[in-house]
Amino acid sequence: MTDNNHGPGNGRKQLPVVAPGGALQAVSSVGPGNLLAELRQAQAAPDDEVNLRDYWRILLKRKWVIIAAVLIAGVYGWVNTMLTVPMYRATSTLQIESDTLNVVNVEGVTPAEYRGDAQFYETQYQLLRSRSLAERVAAELQLGAHPAVNSVQPSPWSTMVGSLFGGKPPKPAAKPQDAGIDHRKFGGVVQGGLTVDPDKSSRLVRLHFDHPDPAFAAQVVNAVAEAFIASNLERRFGASGYAKGYLEDRLAQIKQKLEDSERELVAFAQKEQILSIDDRQPLILQDVSALVSALSLAQSERIRAEARWRQASAGGQVRATSADENDVLNTLKQQLGSLRSQYQEKLRLYKPQFPEMKQLQAQIAEVEKQLAVEVTSIKAVFKADFDAALDTENMLREQLERLKEETLDLQNRSIDYKLLEREVATNRELYDGLLQRYKEIGVAGGVSTNNVQVIDAAMVPGGPFMPSLRQNLTKALMFGLMLGVLLALGLEYLDDTIKTPEDIEKRLHLVHLGVIPKLGKDETPAKALLDMRSGFAEAYRSVRTALQFSTESGVPATLVVTSTVPGEGKTTTAKALARNFALLGKRVLLIDADLRNPSLHRAFNLDNSMGLSNCLSGAAKPGQCIHRIEQAGLSVLLSGPLPPNPAELLAGPRMISLLTQATERFDQIVIDAPPVLGLADAPILSNLAKGTLLVVESGRARIGAGQAAIKRLLSARARLLGAVLTKFDSRSVGYGYGYGGYGYDSYQYYGYGAPARARLPGRSKSA
């Protein structure tokens, strides 16, 4: 019967729990809705915190995988060394200089190199490794008919593999005839055994050649050095010869082009009647400058003449242009003034009709007439001067315009002329430069010195270079160690089982109420529980202690013990807890509610003909089915005959009535329920009980299955008190902390003091 005050749907506080070792923990007593939300959040965002101790524990747990990988790799390295054909290494030392002796101080045709040029030296190294050089060496040594190449014996590896897989061992190649052999095809033999080892701190290069025949190795590496020197000299002379031939062709082309451009320039000068543009242009420019000055003076003279003429024409004062004209005008003006003065004086005495007065008037008129004639004559002179100045200005302007046109025309013609002249100069300079370069190359082609020298010729090696047992074993062991570590981490990553209490807390978000150690091969749970000093029995007593602090009122009166899947130790846990509660003086009823695969009747050696199924079907009363155990205070209600519909019986009202009656007669009810996944029995029983304990087997229960089981229980509004980790082997997960000195056998504890592994009587201390 469900307690409304402590039902699974009520909000709950976080209560302290004293772990078996005495450490204070907090039991998750939040509502099932909140716990389900936390579980979903944990699935969406797993814990990615890196802890080096966790990696160390993983390596300890998978130590046999690492040891096996190291041993296999070591054995392989040893066998490989023993079965490998000995190889001899011959070494020759070369000195490669980037600067050669310059005898004639003439720049060569090959690219200019400088001391320390990385690209130059890398080019030399690649030339040493080139296929053409290898083919040249193969042809010089006639490797196609060389006995060291055609009499190679099969390696022990090939012989062993052939014998293991039933194949025939490879036969040595027959010695071919020298006639008709293309020795260059054996360049791969040279390339395959040659190693170029440059000394980065100097100009020295070491050439190594590896081969089973020591004399052949020395012969090949010396041949490579000599062939490289010869090819280097050939490239230098070949470059000079090619450049010389190329320059000869270019000189002929440029010479023809120069002649054509000179002919075109002369033809254009004759057509345009151009003698020398550079000499003629300054004369024309001087004429233009002189005309501009003359035109400016003519314009000034014309302006002055025009001003005199216009002033005289407008009735203004007329000034003579010469001294004679000026004397005549002055004389006439004086006579006119004198006569007019006399006329005015006599006008006071005589009348105008007086003969003397008429005579004066006639004289005045004659002088005025003469003065008018003289002024008219001067105006005519002014007009003539103006016309002459205007004509002069117009003539100068026309002459200036003609010179401008001639200058522009000369400039237009000079553009084409200068273009042709420039082309002739360019072709002449190019021809002279190529001719000079041709002469320099002809001199420099025969005086170049070689920049490669042999410092140490290769000697026949006195001992094999490889294989080296020490090096091979070291490499094999290191490789095995790395492979073992990777395999251990990979297996741990693929292993999604719950192994430690941290997994319960981090992945399932449940408080672990205890850790039950894994028993040995010859130990059984029944025997271990009978020994009160064993770690197995002590671990369950620690779980009992943790349950006493799981709620405000202590251990729930009705406690369901279930697991994710079968075989995780839930029946053993329910039996052990019932015994431990009875040891406290409580009246305890242990109910086998697993109506599908019951096992309590075998544990207590009782008849299972009457039990829970009879009570739920109405065939018997609870009092008729309860068995009393020899241990004081402990009673057992077995499952009874297996019904066809266990879930319907457990969900019926008689189960609620049975639990109600049992709580009145007993202080503690422990229900051994079926597993959660795949069955509806456990959620039904968890809903009826006041507390549910989940049993998880270490190293077997998967995280996904545990989370699915918790979801089902929470969906049924079960009150999860926590989880118990069973069959925990501290050595398999990399833990193990021993404590002793309490008057009984030493225990191994984990985490918060929960017992993890105990030494049972008869077990060695190291176990």
Side-chain angles (χ1 to χ4, degrees):
M1 185 173 184
T2 305
D3 190 346
N4 295 331
N5 294 331
H6 299 283
N10 298 336
R12 283 171 265 164
K13 300 179 181 179
Q14 196 171 16
L15 303 177
V17 173
V18 177
L24 186 63
Q25 303 187 124
V27 176
S28 178
S29 56
V30 297
N34 295 335
L35 185 57
L36 185 59
E38 291 180 4
L39 185 61
R40 290 174 178 172
Q41 183 178 4
Q43 291 176 341
D47 188 9
D48 293 334
E49 182 180 358
V50 177
N51 192 336
L52 296 179
R53 288 180 297 179
D54 293 340
Y55 285 107
W56 176 248
R57 290 163 184 164
I58 292 173
L59 298 180
L60 289 179
K61 175 184 175 182
R62 308 283 181 179
K63 59 182 177 296
W64 292 114
V65 175
I66 300 175
I67 293 174
V70 171
L71 291 178
I72 293 173
V75 171
Y76 174 79
W78 180 79
V79 173
N80 183 48
T81 303
M82 295 295 102
L83 297 180
T84 301
V85 177
M87 301 293 290
Y88 295 85
R89 167 167 288 188
T91 302
S92 177
T93 304
L94 301 180
Q95 180 180 356
I96 301 177
E97 294 286 351
S98 58
D99 298 329
T100 59
L101 182 62
N102 198 345
V103 178
V104 294
N105 196 22
V106 176
E107 183 182 0
V109 296
T110 55
E113 307 295 346
Y114 300 95
R115 185 169 300 174
D117 190 351
Q119 292 183 353
F120 167 75
Y121 283 104
E122 186 61 30
T123 302
Q124 302 303 309
Y125 305 151
Q126 296 301 327
L127 289 175
L128 285 168
R129 303 185 184 100
S130 64
R131 178 179 55 83
S132 60
L133 182 63
E135 291 179 351
R136 177 172 181 164
V137 173
E140 291 178 356
L141 297 180
Q142 297 184 354
L143 295 186
H146 202 286
V149 176
N150 297 280
S151 61
V152 178
Q153 298 296 328
S155 65
W157 263 119
S158 302
T159 305
M160 184 183 69
V161 171
S163 61
L164 289 177
F165 292 96
K168 296 182 179 180
K171 296 181 179 179
K175 183 177 180 179
Q177 299 297 327
D178 190 19
I181 297 177
D182 187 2
H183 301 284
R184 292 177 300 176
K185 296 181 179 180
F186 291 85
V189 177
V190 179
Q191 281 185 304
L194 183 65
T195 303
V196 180
D197 182 18
D199 187 356
K200 300 299 183 181
S201 59
S202 66
R203 306 188 191 104
L204 300 180
V205 180
R206 295 178 180 85
L207 301 180
H208 308 294
F209 189 80
D210 301 334
H211 197 268
D213 188 347
F216 178 73
Q219 183 182 10
V220 171
V221 75
N222 287 328
V224 170
E226 294 174 359
F228 178 69
I229 294 175
S231 63
N232 185 51
L233 291 175
E234 290 175 1
R235 282 195 304 273
R236 288 176 174 269
F237 284 107
S240 299
Y242 173 80
K244 190 174 181 180
Y246 172 78
L247 288 178
E248 288 177 353
D249 296 338
R250 289 294 296 162
L251 279 172
Q253 297 174 5
I254 296 300
K255 183 179 180 181
Q256 183 64 37
K257 192 173 183 180
L258 176 60
E259 293 176 355
D260 294 341
S261 60
E262 288 178 344
R263 291 191 185 96
E264 188 175 356
L265 177 63
V266 173
F268 182 81
Q270 292 177 353
K271 178 182 177 181
E272 299 296 334
Q273 299 297 321
I274 298 176
L275 297 178
S276 178
I277 292 179
D278 294 337
D279 296 339
R280 188 175 178 185
Q281 277 187 343
L283 297 176
I284 295 177
L285 293 177
Q286 290 178 4
D287 294 342
V288 171
S289 178
L291 284 176
V292 170
S293 299
L295 179 61
S296 179
L297 293 175
Q299 287 178 342
S300 300
E301 185 64 26
R302 190 262 305 167
I303 291 172
R304 286 195 297 270
E306 184 179 5
R308 288 196 303 267
W309 178 73
R310 290 185 182 278
Q311 184 179 5
S313 299
Q317 185 178 3
V318 178
R319 295 179 181 180
T321 58
S322 62
D324 295 338
E325 292 177 354
N326 193 28
D327 292 343
V328 173
L329 284 177
N330 290 335
T331 301
L332 291 176
K333 287 180 181 180
Q334 289 178 359
Q335 290 179 2
L336 181 62
S338 177
L339 292 174
R340 285 179 178 176
S341 177
Q342 292 178 11
Y343 181 81
Q344 291 296 332
E345 288 179 358
K346 290 181 178 184
L347 187 60
R348 296 175 185 174
L349 299 177
Y350 304 104
K351 292 182 180 181
Q353 300 299 328
F354 191 71
E356 187 177 357
M357 295 297 289
K358 288 183 178 181
Q359 185 179 0
L360 288 173
Q361 291 178 356
Q363 293 178 353
I364 291 172
E366 181 63 25
V367 173
E368 288 180 349
K369 181 178 179 181
Q370 293 179 0
L371 183 61
V373 171
E374 188 65 25
V375 170
T376 301
S377 176
I378 293 173
K379 287 183 178 181
V381 173
F382 287 168
K383 182 65 169 66
D385 292 341
F386 169 67
D387 291 339
L390 183 60
D391 292 340
T392 301
E393 180 184 358
N394 291 333
M395 292 176 61
L396 290 174
R397 193 181 302 277
E398 291 176 358
Q399 183 68 16
L400 181 61
E401 292 297 330
R402 185 181 61 79
L403 284 177
K404 285 182 179 180
E405 292 177 359
E406 184 178 353
T407 303
L408 293 175
D409 179 64
L410 182 61
Q411 290 178 351
N412 289 333
R413 289 185 297 166
S414 66
I415 293 174
D416 296 333
Y417 183 83
K418 285 189 175 297
L419 288 175
L420 294 174
E421 194 175 38
R422 251 191 321 268
E423 184 177 358
V424 171
T426 301
N427 291 334
R428 183 175 290 109
E429 291 177 0
L430 184 59
Y431 178 78
D432 294 339
L434 288 176
L435 183 60
Q436 180 66 23
R437 186 61 175 164
Y438 176 78
K439 295 178 180 179
E440 292 175 355
I441 291 175
V443 175
V447 297
S448 296
T449 59
N450 187 26
N451 64 328
V452 182
Q453 297 179 2
V454 177
I455 304 301
D456 291 328
M459 304 295 292
V460 177
F465 168 72
M466 58 182 302
S468 174
L469 181 60
R470 177 181 298 178
Q471 293 181 359
N472 289 353
L473 283 181
T474 302
K475 293 178 181 178
L477 293 177
M478 292 299 296
F479 175 77
L481 180 61
M482 291 188 293
L483 180 62
V485 171
L486 291 178
L487 287 176
L489 296 178
L491 292 174
E492 187 67 19
Y493 178 78
L494 296 176
D495 185 6
D496 61 343
T497 59
I498 299 173
K499 297 175 285 295
T500 63
E502 276 93 351
D503 294 337
I504 294 177
E505 294 179 349
K506 294 180 180 180
R507 301 303 178 90
L508 302 184
H509 282 252
L510 292 177
V511 175
H512 77 281
L513 299 177
V515 179
I516 311 302
K518 183 179 181 180
L519 297 177
K521 296 181 179 179
D522 299 332
E523 299 168 353
T524 61
K527 294 180 179 180
L529 288 175
L530 292 177
D531 184 4
M532 302 303 294
R533 300 179 62 184
S534 67
F536 193 79
E538 179 64 25
Y540 277 113
R541 288 196 293 271
S542 299
V543 175
R544 178 198 64 187
T545 304
L547 288 173
Q548 290 177 341
F549 296 93
S550 60
T551 64
E552 297 176 351
S553 57
V555 184
T558 307
L559 178 64
V560 171
V561 180
T562 184
S563 63
T564 304
V565 293
E568 295 188 78
K570 62 177 182 58
T571 301
T572 302
T573 301
K575 176 183 176 183
L577 291 177
R579 285 182 176 273
N580 288 328
F581 286 133
L583 290 175
L584 296 178
K586 293 185 177 182
R587 294 171 297 170
V588 181
L589 175 61
L590 177 59
I591 301 177
D592 189 356
D594 191 351
L595 301 182
R596 302 175 187 271
N597 186 22
S599 58
L600 278 179
H601 63 282
R602 292 191 295 270
F604 289 99
N605 196 18
L606 297 175
D607 183 15
N608 196 27
S609 58
M610 295 288 291
L612 180 61
S613 59
N614 302 94
C615 298
L616 297 181
S617 62
K621 294 182 179 180
Q624 299 174 350
C625 301
I626 294 177
H627 300 271
R628 292 189 179 276
I629 306 303
E630 296 178 356
Q631 182 178 353
L634 179 60
S635 301
V636 178
L637 177 58
L638 301 178
S639 64
L642 300 183
N645 51 354
E648 287 76 1
L649 290 179
L650 296 175
R654 290 178 178 171
M655 185 65 188
I656 300 176
S657 176
L658 186 148
L659 293 178
T660 303
Q661 297 176 15
T663 53
E664 295 177 354
R665 294 181 52 188
F666 297 93
D667 301 323
Q668 185 70 51
I669 300 175
V670 179
I671 303 175
D672 180 15
V676 178
L677 296 182
L679 303 175
D681 303 2
I684 294 173
L685 294 172
S686 298
N687 179 268
L688 299 177
K690 296 181 179 180
T692 301
L693 179 63
L694 183 64
V695 176
V696 179
E697 181 180 349
S698 175
R700 180 191 175 195
R702 299 191 176 276
I703 296 174
Q707 292 175 348
I710 294 173
K711 287 182 180 179
R712 291 200 65 191
L713 293 175
L714 295 178
S715 299
R717 305 185 67 81
R719 183 177 183 183
L720 278 172
L721 301 178
V724 174
L725 188 64
T726 61
K727 303 180 183 179
F728 180 78
D729 188 358
S730 61
R731 294 176 298 179
S732 65
V733 296
Y735 294 93
Y737 307 95
Y739 300 90
Y742 292 95
Y744 48 86
D745 292 340
S746 61
Y747 296 93
Q748 290 181 330
Y749 287 88
Y750 169 84
Y752 302 99
R757 180 74 172 167
R759 186 173 64 86
L760 298 181
R763 181 173 299 170
S764 63
K765 190 173 183 179
S766 60

